[in-house]
Amino acid sequence: MASRSTLALRAQPLASSAQIGRIPADAHCLRSLGCEGGLTFQEFTSLSDKERRRRAAEHPRWCKVEYQGNVGWVAGSYLAEDACPPSPMPGSSR
């Protein structure tokens, strides 16, 4: 995520929507429940850099996520793919 220390978790996929939680910048293991908006593959591959930036600003990508039992929407531009570390086996001493 960007330089902010937390990411707003929102009730709806809108910047003006009510904030229902915060996700730390170093958070891992968010569960993706789907995204909407953003550039299509055709737009990404065919538009100029300037047009891509304009289109992305007009139609931002929002992703519905679950983080520590809380479900809401976050701006997709702040997310990156990452793997969750494996959970310790039950009964292990970790």
Side-chain angles (χ1 to χ4, degrees):
M1 288 187 271
S3 61
R4 295 182 180 159
S5 60
T6 61
L7 177 62
L9 185 65
R10 301 204 176 270
Q12 299 296 320
L14 299 165
S16 60
S17 179
Q19 182 177 309
I20 58 173
R22 306 257 347 137
I23 299 173
D26 60 352
H28 293 277
C29 300
L30 279 76
R31 180 175 169 223
S32 174
L33 302 174
C35 296
E36 61 182 47
L39 298 173
T40 65
F41 180 74
Q42 181 178 359
E43 290 170 325
F44 184 79
T45 58
S46 65
L47 295 175
S48 68
D49 286 343
K50 181 179 178 181
E51 284 298 306
R52 264 185 272 176
R53 285 190 300 273
R54 182 189 63 76
R55 175 81 174 127
E58 291 173 353
H59 301 281
R61 186 167 189 80
W62 285 89
C63 298
K64 191 171 188 178
V65 298
E66 178 184 357
Y67 179 68
Q68 296 184 339
N70 297 308
V71 175
W73 293 87
V74 296
S77 61
Y78 293 102
L79 300 178
E81 294 287 333
D82 193 16
C84 284
S87 298
M89 296 294 291
S92 69
S93 59
R94 287 177 82 187

